[in-house]
Amino acid sequence: MTRYDTFVEDGTVFVGSDDGPIEVAPLSAVVDAVGGPAWTISYSDAEKARHPEMNVDDEGLVVDVVDMLNAMTHGERFVATLAAHPTTVPEEDTISPRAGLFVGKLLENLENGVS
């Protein structure tokens, strides 16, 4: 199965594809959307109670958002979906639908780790 890298060039986030790089959004917009350049791993009391066997040794560690972003790879389906999303920012939003899709996956990876 083909996987496509994420990379940053000249302050812009891109995802690779068979047709060339897909522009996602300015890096600053992506970092702002996840709450800043650092992500602190934490677990709620409810999560700990619900999953007492869960390993929480990483709680409190700080993850660099850009490092996580650069570690992300994507399958063909995600890349095709990403490419189909518009890049224009709606008047009532701060990022485009394409950037929103990407940020959602980045947040999932920050919360759950990259597998």
Side-chain angles (χ1 to χ4, degrees):
M1 174 165 82
T2 303
R3 301 291 295 175
Y4 299 95
D5 292 331
T6 302
F7 61 97
V8 177
E9 189 173 288
D10 294 328
T12 301
V13 178
F14 292 90
V15 171
S17 81
D18 288 337
D19 298 325
I22 298 169
E23 184 174 336
V24 176
L27 177 61
S28 60
V30 172
V31 169
D32 287 348
V34 299
W39 180 271
T40 303
I41 298 172
S42 62
Y43 301 95
S44 70
D45 290 338
E47 287 175 307
K48 291 176 188 177
R50 200 172 34 239
H51 304 286
E53 74 289 348
M54 181 171 56
N55 183 347
V56 294
D57 291 345
D58 59 354
E59 187 165 33
L61 292 177
V62 177
V63 177
D64 184 281
V65 170
V66 177
D67 286 348
M68 177 63 79
L69 180 148
N70 280 310
M72 291 171 56
T73 62
H74 314 278
E76 293 173 357
R77 184 183 310 177
F78 180 82
V79 170
T81 303
L82 188 71
H85 276 65
T87 58
T88 54
V89 178
E91 193 172 306
E92 65 278 1
D93 286 328
T94 57
I95 59 173
S96 71
R98 182 180 292 175
L101 178 65
F102 182 85
V103 166
K105 186 171 183 190
L106 174 58
L107 283 169
E108 182 180 322
N109 287 338
L110 287 165
E111 290 174 356
N112 301 310
V114 176
S115 56

